[in-house]
Amino acid sequence: MTVRTTCPYCGVGCGVLATPDGQGGLTVRGDPDHPANRGRLCVKGAALGETVAIAGRLLAPRIGGQDASWDGALDLIAARFSETVARHGPDSVAMYVSGQLLTEDYYAANKLMKGFIGSANIDTNSRLCMASSVAGHRRAFGSDTVPGLYEDLELADLVVLTGSNLAWCHPVLHQRLMAARAARPDMRIVVIDPRRTATCEGADLHLAIAPGADGHLFNLLLAHLHDTGRTGGAFLTHVAGYDDALRAARASRPQDTGLPPEALRRFLDLWAGTERTVTVYSQGINQSDSGTDKVNAIINCHLATGRIGRPGMGPFSVTGQPNAMGGREVGGLSNTLACHLELENPAHRAAVGAFWAAPNMAHRPGLKAVDLFRAVGDGRIKALWIMHTNPAVTMPEADRVARAIAACDFTVVSEAWPETDTARLADVLLPSAAWGEKDGAVTNSERMISRQRAVLAPPGQARPDWWQIAQVATRMGFAGFDWSGPGAVFAEHAALSGVA
């Protein structure tokens, strides 16, 4: 039987049709009815069926490298976490989770840490991917809100790509953009990138700016928009801080961009003169040492001209990981709460705490990813649970992170594969269900929620991540984790969004 589900590879969130082949494998093709991809798949999505072999999978819990029962592993985790909190306080424990989790997994983990253990020491590998956009959105809009849709790429008269090699990193979106361009030859595409990438091949203008100069470019654009009378009007009456933003923007100089004057002028005039403009940005912006400021420099140009929230216009953050947005929706970062609420806001904390009947609501932001592992290394964090990510390889200063995990008093790792660098460092290793074996929801870059459905049975004793979290929470003596399935977790998340 063919099952409609969602690709797990990136934030585009493509729909796929997966059909078991009767021998433990799958055939996969694009779902023509899914609005994100309309049947298109990139090479990774098309090869999904080749990733589901179970040879080498983790098939049972392990304690100290030896197979164990689920009861034994879960009881040990609950006891060690409870003992650590009792002796050293809530901030002595932490979780490091992943954009590969489903929304229900993310929700359960954040409820346990922030509402019941009482610490916000839970962060995610999405921190390394999208935190600049989260901070920029919150600073601009008051919440982590993406104001664009994929359809806007097809409706725009000008699409600007900055910090994004869309052709390689989000190929299905690039295919949609190129198809729209073929249907509407008057559409213009600008690529801003120090390198000449594959995305430049379809562009009308490639701006080879100096590395890191994106912020200067959009500051100059804001000043140009003001000086040519493109700002103002009714929309600007709803925007605060315009004068301060303009004053800061004027500190940037044309030479800071590294662009020839004629290329800079062409871009400024093109953007200023094209109302239906979408500015797409991704990791080249987010992973800068001034990423949040660059995000706001982009957003400021759209806010100042009212080119936002209407068809074919707006700033558009394109997500890297498959469910980074779903995690953001349920407060996946150490300084956020579920439903895009603010951990620092007492009213928001009270609303979430009352809904959860939380006995020990975290009252301040926790440690962010890099600082979290530094705290593991210096012994402040004594019990750590890592889920579906490999920080011993992927974190900055990975060798230092690996040494910190190895020295931690007690480390739990939830994984599908036992031989990752991080899994080898675990005191307790829990077998997790992988893509194709679990049910739940994911949210893509345009905030569309899609279902990820099970197609195959989990091998051995592998179990979903939300279930693992709920079992540990219950064994720690906490109420409110007796969900019957992922649908019940999502229903609780949806109900909380109504309260907040």
Side-chain angles (χ1 to χ4, degrees), residues 414-450:
S414 295
E415 249 294 354
W417 304 94
E419 297 301 325
T420 71
D421 291 63
T422 301
R424 294 189 189 103
L425 303 175
D427 296 294
V428 179
L429 195 53
L430 300 180
S432 290
W435 179 84
E437 302 162 3
K438 56 186 180 179
D439 283 297
V442 292
T443 305
N444 70 1
S445 295
E446 64 172 353
R447 302 178 72 199
M448 177 187 295
I449 298 172
S450 295

Side-chain angles (χ1 to χ4, degrees), residues 32-89:
D33 296 323
H34 196 285
N37 59 313
R38 301 170 186 163
R40 298 182 180 93
L41 288 180
C42 73
V43 64
K44 291 198 297 184
L48 262 174
E50 301 172 25
T51 71
V52 298
I54 64 171
R57 285 282 298 276
L58 179 64
L59 300 178
R62 294 182 185 176
I63 299 175
Q66 302 298 314
D67 284 359
S69 68
W70 269 109
D71 282 338
L74 295 168
D75 285 344
L76 177 60
I77 296 166
R80 291 295 298 270
F81 268 62
S82 295
E83 291 167 4
T84 302
V85 171
R87 289 183 182 180
H88 304 287

Side-chain angles (χ1 to χ4, degrees), residues 4 271 275:
R4 298 184 70 190
W271 207 104
E275 183 179 27

